[in-house]
Amino acid sequence: MPTPPVLLTECPRDALQGLPEFIPTPVKTAYLQQLLAVGFDVLDFGSFVSPKAIPQLRDTAEVLAGLDLDRTRTKLLAIVANRRGAEQAAGHPEIHFLGFPLSVSETFQRRNTNQTIAEALADVAAMHELCERRGKELMVYLSMGFGNPYGDPYSPAVVADFTAKLAALGVRHVALSDTIGVSTPALITPLFKELISAFPHIEFGAHLHTTPTTWLEKVQAAYQAGCRRFDGALGGLGGCPMATDVLTGNMATENLVAYLEGVGEELGLDRSSFEQARQAAVQLMIS
């Protein structure tokens, strides 16, 4: 079987969602337009969730309406937290992926989407059916996929059990999410190897939060275990505001690109647009 190509998802949604000052809609739109020029495979651009939960992204529909998608290969992904949000996102033909955070931690599922895990799984089933009807694809993020701070049960076997439930529903895209940055190579490598072998019809991704000093060992462990879909955010900014009081940064996209190109992967990115977007990200975060 040929080795699948590496797919990169840029996550400005994750980078922006925890910022306290609202970024004006035209500014967000212009930044996303710059990212679309780079040539990422997927852009996690916004979310259809309660504006009370994530006020920074309350203008996702307006931002989407302002984007020019005629000259980009990038597919758009929007995060949803329930069936209502999924219906809203699915109503936009420009959106290809609906992303839903399913936590292996009962405590975090309640904190993040105000649901039990059983309720969230029922939503996943309904969302998968919705995506099948509307020509969308469902991306399920297994939040707290490498451990949690709440004392809820966790082990690789728990993650495998959740994945089996998703496979039974027909889900084809699953991203293991290191929501609080606790993953280590000793856990990343065997977990990806086990899941990729056990569920060959699922495309697994790595959404790894990290500190500036541990990014390399994490991406290397996932890549060497066979993972070929990676999420990042320029500058390593952002994190989940529902997880802890201190945001752990995303995997920096520039680090991901440097590693993947260093091992010979052809990513198909426009280098000039990439550098312009990187500079824009810095300006956006300090303005």
Side-chain angles (χ1 to χ4, degrees):
M1 180 180 295
T3 302
V6 167
L7 301 175
L8 282 183
T9 298
E10 176 64 17
C11 302
R13 184 271 316 167
D14 207 0
L16 300 178
Q17 66 181 2
L19 296 180
E21 297 296 326
F22 183 75
I23 298 173
T25 301
V27 176
K28 282 201 199 83
T29 304
Y31 178 54
L32 294 177
Q33 197 68 56
Q34 288 183 295
L35 294 174
L36 288 170
V38 175
F40 296 111
D41 296 286
V42 178
L43 190 68
D44 177 357
F45 82 103
S47 63
F48 290 86
V49 301
S50 167
K52 292 182 180 179
I54 308 291
Q56 183 63 251
L57 302 176
R58 64 180 185 262
D59 60 347
T60 290
E62 291 80 6
V63 168
L64 178 59
L67 294 175
D68 180 0
L69 302 173
D70 289 340
R71 294 183 299 276
T72 182
R73 71 182 183 96
T74 303
K75 296 177 180 178
L76 296 183
L77 181 150
I79 295 295
V80 300
N82 51 41
R83 299 183 202 188
R84 179 181 178 184
E87 288 282 358
Q88 291 176 317
H92 295 275
E94 305 92 341
I95 295 174
H96 184 89
F97 287 100
L98 274 60
F100 179 75
L102 174 67
S103 181
V104 303
S105 157
E106 188 78 51
T107 303
F108 186 63
Q109 191 70 58
R110 290 180 180 276
R111 289 185 60 160
N112 199 31
T113 65
N114 196 30
Q115 298 169 300
T116 65
I117 288 175
E119 291 168 338
L121 278 168
D123 269 7
V124 169
M127 290 175 189
H128 177 67
E129 293 177 2
L130 173 67
C131 287
E132 292 289 289
R133 294 197 311 270
R134 299 288 189 87
K136 311 294 186 184
E137 295 190 74
L138 180 63
M139 172 72 72
V140 176
Y141 294 88
L142 283 181
S143 303
M144 299 292 171
F146 297 91
N148 67 81
Y150 310 115
D152 292 333
Y154 175 82
S155 69
V158 169
V159 180
D161 180 63
F162 271 75
T163 306
K165 290 182 171 66
L166 295 174
L169 293 174
V171 173
R172 295 181 291 273
H173 305 281
V174 175
L176 303 185
S177 298
D178 185 13
T179 316
I180 54 173
V182 298
S183 64
T184 63
L187 182 56
I188 293 171
T189 298
L191 186 54
F192 272 108
K193 282 186 175 180
E194 176 185 344
L195 294 178
I196 291 170
S197 174
F199 303 97
H201 299 299
I202 292 180
E203 177 190 70
F204 288 96
H207 185 96
L208 302 174
H209 291 183
T210 184
T211 65
T213 59
T214 59
W215 72 267
L216 178 58
E217 63 188 39
K218 293 188 180 190
V219 65
Q220 185 177 49
Y223 181 82
Q224 292 181 350
C227 178
R228 290 299 182 268
R229 178 184 282 273
F230 293 89
D231 293 4
L234 287 169
L237 299 164
C240 181
M242 304 301 180
T244 59
D245 293 329
V246 179
L247 296 182
T248 301
N250 282 292
M251 178 71 67
T253 304
E254 51 267 47
N255 289 341
L256 268 176
V257 169
Y259 173 80
L260 293 169
E261 290 184 339
V263 295
E265 294 289 346
E266 296 288 340
L267 303 179
L269 304 180
D270 183 286
R271 301 304 304 187
S272 176
S273 296
F274 183 85
E275 181 57 27
Q276 291 175 18
R278 190 189 66 79
Q279 294 177 10
V282 173
Q283 291 301 315
L284 185 66
M285 299 306 169
I286 65 176
S287 60

